[in-house]
Amino acid sequence: MKPIWVIDDDQSIRFVLEKALEKAGLPARSFSNIREVQAALSDESPQVLVSDIRMPGGSGIELLQEIKRSQPQLPVIIMTAYSDLDSAVSAFQSGAFEYLSKPFDLEKAVELIQRAVDESMREQDIEEARIDTPELLGQAPAMQDVFRAIGRLSPSQVTVLITGESGSGKELVAQALHRHSPRANGPFVAINTAAIPRDLLESELFGHERGAFTGAQTSRRGRFEQAEGGTLFLDEIGDMPYELQTRLLRVLSDGHFYRVGGHNPIKAHVRVIAATHQNLENRVRDGLFREDLFHRLNVIRLRLPALRERREDIVLLVRHFLLKSAKELGVDAKRLSDEALITLQNYPFPGNVRELENVCHWLTVMAPGLTVDVKDLPPELQQSSRLAQSGSSMPAPAPAHRIAVPDMHESVGDARTEDGMPTIVTGLSAGANLSASHATTVPPSHEATSPMTGSSTPVVAAEGWEAIVARTTRELLHNGQPEVMDWLNQRFERAVIQAALEFTHGRRIEAAVKLGIGRNTITRKIQDLGLDD
């Protein structure tokens, strides 16, 4: 184990802490100022760092921020006087593990440092396991193409745009590009632009100066500064607010940015990798994404295949995830029967690799024996298997030329939009009163309790609405409708969100929870689809 570093200009504090740590069996090393620490960090690093917040020649907060840029996993404990709690708050915001208020109880201080050591050791084990484990697995031709692209792109500094469905592993690809690049020793910083409220996103990306806005009591480095010398991964870039896209474009164009409330330009030595599950060309066309930013990001595009496009990799991934889950939980690894593997290979996995990993973790916990059979799989997978086996015996949907569930803004008796195209019947709009001439009968839903969610999940027979969508798609193609996928997606999302809002009596947060999407996501979709009107 590496030593704990104690930094304080007060010699008595250093002496007392060093002796207490040695008595607890923890090696310690003390420093009287920040310059000594910075010099030592060039050759070695501690297990945990404990620093006073204010010392001659430098600030403990500045040291903390410097360390977090180069060693983000290193636990840092900040010591502060009772009158300096505001600085302690800023220490937390800068990534401190914990703070010690002076004067402190020596026994409690050692306990806190021991907790930080334990956390550091866990992170070290995880990092070693990550190094030993391949970042990406796949033998399918589509994944081999991805591997070849990573090999070609890693040595360069070119901006990369990764596209693919949610859960397909876009961040893993970004990490692989970083890990095999000349910037591998620098930090890899990721930010999901869709997960941060738009009024906070600018500060998260570019940082802010003290007093820039209410609550900004200290200066703060943003993600661009945190990623200095490394890679910044901008996930879900398609959801970035339009007004922030201009600022990002400027950074990509000339490499400079300003903190919020700042007046001095800061040079960014960062490689940017962006990712999205959306069609950025469509968002540009709809005026939701800047065309010039799109071309800046779209220097090299790397498409990650969905899991259903690489079904031959499912067996390999299942074994990997079952071993991983067993190791994490300290149990024997499960194995799947041939029939269970076939069921998994035939399942569409809308959540892609992330969903498969969750299934394997659930099986490790819930499956009764070491060998997992079809009957041990989650109910939704069993239902999918039964439907696949009995598909030929399912009642066929009644034929219809104009098959539609009208948009809730449109007349129920008219299955055509203003441009004469058919709207889609999904059967999901609550309260839609459809005539027999406009609707195909969908078999009754079956209720299955999912052990993964602990809730009753409706399972709709695939022979109903999916056949409707297929026929509607053929009609759209025959009529020359442009951008069919986008056209269908918008109407599908509109119907689903309208039904959820009607079910929750307009309560958006509750609707988002029931649909399994984020609050920001449903708000954005309501705006994009014009449902606020």
Side-chain angles (χ1 to χ4, degrees), residues 3-11 13-19 21 27-33 36-37 46 48-52 55 77 79 104 113:
I4 289 89
W5 288 7
V6 178
I7 305 102
D8 201 305
D9 58 325
D10 188 328
Q11 193 273 338
I13 295 287
R14 298 198 306 271
F15 178 81
V16 168
L17 266 179
E18 195 169 353
K19 292 302 179 184
L21 290 171
R29 180 182 176 186
S30 61
F31 300 83
S32 61
N33 59 69
E36 293 179 0
V37 178
V48 172
L49 187 143
V50 184
S51 174
D52 191 18
M55 293 172 286
I77 297 172
M79 294 184 289
F104 49 78
I113 294 170

Side-chain angles (χ1 to χ4, degrees), residues 394-404 425 434-443 461-472 474-475:
M394 295 296 294
H401 178 64
R402 295 186 299 167
I403 305 171
V425 176
L434 305 176
S435 64
S437 62
H438 288 91
T440 296
T441 302
V442 178
E463 288 293 317
W465 64 270
E466 289 182 354
I468 295 170
V469 172
R471 276 198 297 275
T472 304
R474 287 192 290 270
E475 183 174 357

Side-chain angles (χ1 to χ4, degrees), residues 137-139 307 310-323 334-338 340-346 349 356 360:
L137 295 172
Q139 298 174 345
L307 185 55
R310 43 183 292 226
R311 295 182 186 273
E312 56 264 64
D313 287 338
I314 288 179
V315 174
L316 179 68
L317 290 167
V318 165
R319 288 172 182 161
H320 169 68
F321 289 138
L322 287 176
L323 284 171
K334 303 289 176 72
R335 63 173 297 274
L336 268 65
S337 67
D338 293 341
L341 281 173
I342 291 171
T343 299
L344 289 181
Q345 287 179 306
N346 290 331
F349 282 105
L356 177 61
C360 291

